[in-house]
Amino acid sequence: MPLTSAEVDHFLAKGYVTIPGCFTRNFAQPLIDHAYERLDYDPDDPATWTEPIRYLDHVHRFKVKDLCPRAWGAICDVMGGEDRITPAIQRLETKHFSSVESFHWSDAFIINFRYGSDAPWRPPAPDTALWHKDGSFFRHFLDSPEQALLVVLQWTDTPPKSGGTFVACDSFRHVARYLADHPEGVDPGACNFLIDQCQDFIELTGQTGDLTLLHPFTLHASSPNHSGRPRFMTNPPVALKDPLNFNHEDPADFSLVERGVLQALGVDRYDFQPTAPREWYGL
């Protein structure tokens, strides 16, 4: 099922759209139980949760189209079609491929046990979190295909003040203009200072199985978890076969990600040309 017109408008205005109920609690719970076993933590004994936040590698993988066709349809809508999505990133100068798993979700959990709970909880603002743009392994251009969508998948209920991701909704516009002004590309982290220009902030709350798709230029951050309940989430990547294209002849060919950039730049088309080679780090 494609996105509704209201969902499309919300993505273009706010930089994100949420698809509820992509899987059930009965599906999620065995994977969560297995994660506790992998960590050797007791889910009923906080004294065994020795780290405030943990990042796990995956053990299980699930094809998104089979698990939740509605979610896959939404991802394809935002990306401009399934044929534009790649299961693996290829370095342009070599035949090297990096595992991306755009077509799959997994149990590579980010588990917020009690991150930031030793200080008073503060709502999202420029000075309350470590804001960043995803993509630590490549030089960032306006049309970079490597991190083409920011995905937040809730594996546990996330009420307020429970470690839900902080999001700067208006940040994608500032980042788009900054990258357009730097056709030579910028290093990872170079856009993070733009958080000081942002004014529209949310804390992502929701229920088990909720999926939020955010514009890839969105600045976001881990938030404090004061709930006493671990928050499980994943950030499954989505990459494109080719760079974003802001100069399609037919306006109907623009993806929602591309349309968001064009609106930020205030133009109908934009002939972006990188002036420096694309570069990968650590691969």
Side-chain angles (χ1 to χ4, degrees), residues 141 182-185 272-277:
F141 295 88
H182 291 274
E184 75 281 6
F272 178 77
Q273 300 294 332
T275 59

Side-chain angles (χ1 to χ4, degrees), residues 224-254:
N225 183 0
H226 282 235
S227 69
R229 273 191 326 186
R231 185 260 180 144
F232 283 66
M233 56 90 74
T234 52
N235 283 136
V238 180
L240 295 175
K241 295 176 181 176
D242 300 302
L244 296 164
N245 184 349
F246 308 105
N247 201 30
H248 291 292
E249 290 187 11
D250 186 348
D253 291 337
F254 289 115

Side-chain angles (χ1 to χ4, degrees), residues 89-125:
I89 299 174
Q90 181 182 2
R91 295 186 66 163
L92 298 182
E93 70 276 19
T94 72
K95 294 299 182 181
H96 173 83
F97 284 81
S98 174
S99 178
V100 174
E101 305 293 354
S102 296
F103 290 83
H104 293 82
W105 290 340
S106 78
D107 56 350
F109 293 127
I110 303 171
I111 313 170
N112 186 335
F113 288 99
R114 57 177 180 278
Y115 173 79
S117 62
D118 55 347
W121 194 92
R122 298 171 63 197

Side-chain angles (χ1 to χ4, degrees), residues 108-164:
F109 293 127
I110 303 171
I111 313 170
N112 186 335
F113 288 99
R114 57 177 180 278
Y115 173 79
S117 62
D118 55 347
W121 194 92
R122 298 171 63 197
D127 64 343
T128 62
L130 299 176
W131 297 93
H132 64 279
K133 176 184 181 296
D134 274 3
S136 61
F137 64 96
F138 61 93
R139 188 164 182 81
H140 290 236
F141 295 88
L142 187 70
D143 64 347
S144 291
E146 296 93 342
Q147 188 81 35
L149 189 62
L150 177 58
V151 178
V152 176
L153 191 56
Q154 312 275 19
W155 290 85
T156 51
D157 291 350
T158 311
K161 301 183 181 180
S162 299

Side-chain angles (χ1 to χ4, degrees), residues 1-8 17-22 64-79 81-82 211 213 256:
M1 180 186 298
L3 293 174
T4 66
S5 58
E7 289 170 332
V8 168
V17 62
T18 296
I19 311 300
C22 292
V64 183
K65 186 186 295 187
D66 295 338
L67 179 62
C68 186
R70 163 71 165 137
W72 184 245
I75 291 170
C76 292
D77 268 7
V78 173
M79 291 286 86
E82 181 175 328
L211 168 72
L213 307 177
L256 292 186

